[in-house]
Amino acid sequence: RAIAVGTVLIYHVGIPFMPGGFVGVDIFFVISGFLITSLLLREATSSGRISIADFYARRARRLLPAASVVLIATAVAGWFILPGEDRLNLGKDVIAATAYVINWTLAFRSVDYLAEDAAPSALQHYWSLSVEEQFYVFWPLIIMVGLFVAHRTRARVKPLLFALLGLIAAASLGYSVVHTAADPATAYFFSTTRIWELAIGALLAFAVVRLARLPHRLAEVMAGLGLVLVLGSAFFLSASTPWPSFWALFPTVGSALIIAAGCASSETVTARLLGLRPMVFIGGLSYAIYLWHWP
């Protein structure tokens, strides 16, 4: 999380040595997919059901207070600072961000997130939160359908859900490649071009028990390679890279390798670096930092 929010901040400040810092959002997607799916699977396997009400209540308690404060503060500041047309757009963006659909609003407005000369919305960064929440509208429902089918057919729940999510991820990745080539400005914001990134983390959650048995040396290699992929993406990719497309595999697979290795060992060199107090401190504040930094 510290690396994710750090690379985004460096990119948005415009520091030239990290032209691919926008990959921090992709890292967040993998982390989020892994953590939330782990919780859902734990609930599904222990009780045989998913409580949609409890799931969304937990999400609301964690996300809404901070997100709402930033929305209100930005709206008030924008009212006094922005000219008329931009003020109107900000009002629309506040409503869209509140409903977690601002990614579609920005896509249909044809805002190019990576264009240096684009006039951005003060709430443009909420697009990634919208993508996550849209995924988590459907993902618990898919798990519930999987539980129902498994109960009726006596199939094993986890393999069934894993196969279903794998198909969704493959379809989303394929669509991402095609859409990015055809219309990169809108592809950046579409949920359908991003689902596979969350799904990578979600698929990892199914393998935690097996990953825990990995030999330490293999975990060391995986974590190191993952860190190289993540940091290499931030340093060597740029705004000219068609995104997300297949290029987003570099930071997302890198993130997945680090998480997978962490399931086996917390004593790798990479784990120790990420476990340093400043990294943990920044990681703990990453959501608030991300919300406030852009406006």
Side-chain angles (χ1 to χ4, degrees), residues 225-237:
L225 177 59
L227 190 60
V228 168
L229 287 173
V230 166
L231 294 180
S233 299
F235 280 106
F236 296 109
L237 299 177

Side-chain angles (χ1 to χ4, degrees), residues 222-277:
M222 289 170 59
L225 177 59
L227 190 60
V228 168
L229 287 173
V230 166
L231 294 180
S233 299
F235 280 106
F236 296 109
L237 299 177
S238 70
S240 62
T241 306
W243 204 263
S245 191
F246 63 86
W247 290 101
L249 282 166
F250 288 100
T252 52
V253 170
S255 303
L257 285 171
I258 294 171
I259 295 171
C263 293
S265 174
S266 60
E267 298 300 321
T268 64
V269 173
T270 300
R272 289 177 180 176
L273 289 173
L274 297 179
L276 293 174
R277 281 191 175 184

Side-chain angles (χ1 to χ4, degrees), residues 104-155:
W104 297 104
T105 300
L106 294 171
F108 295 137
R109 198 187 293 161
S110 297
V111 175
D112 188 347
Y113 185 83
L114 301 179
E116 294 179 359
D117 58 348
S121 164
L123 296 173
Q124 188 157 298
H125 62 314
Y126 271 69
W127 75 268
S128 62
L129 306 181
S130 297
V131 170
E132 283 195 23
E133 291 312 305
Q134 289 162 33
F135 179 81
Y136 293 124
V137 166
F138 295 103
W139 184 216
L141 299 177
I142 292 172
I143 291 180
M144 291 178 67
V145 171
L147 290 171
F148 175 79
V149 172
H151 178 72
R152 283 298 187 91
T153 61
R154 299 186 182 279

Side-chain angles (χ1 to χ4, degrees), residues 5 30 53 64 69-70 84 92 94 101 119 121-122 142-143 154 167 188 190 192 206 211 250 256 265 275 282 284:
V5 76
V30 176
L64 287 183
V69 169
V70 175
K92 295 177 182 176
V94 169
V101 294
S121 164
I142 292 172
I143 291 180
R154 299 186 182 279
L167 288 173
Y188 195 94
F190 272 30
T192 43
F206 286 84
L211 291 171
F250 288 100
S265 174
I282 294 170

Side-chain angles (χ1 to χ4, degrees), residues 57-78:
R58 290 193 299 267
R59 296 286 291 172
R61 285 194 298 269
R62 178 180 176 272
L63 300 178
L64 287 183
S68 300
V69 169
V70 175
L71 284 175
I72 294 169
T74 305
V76 171

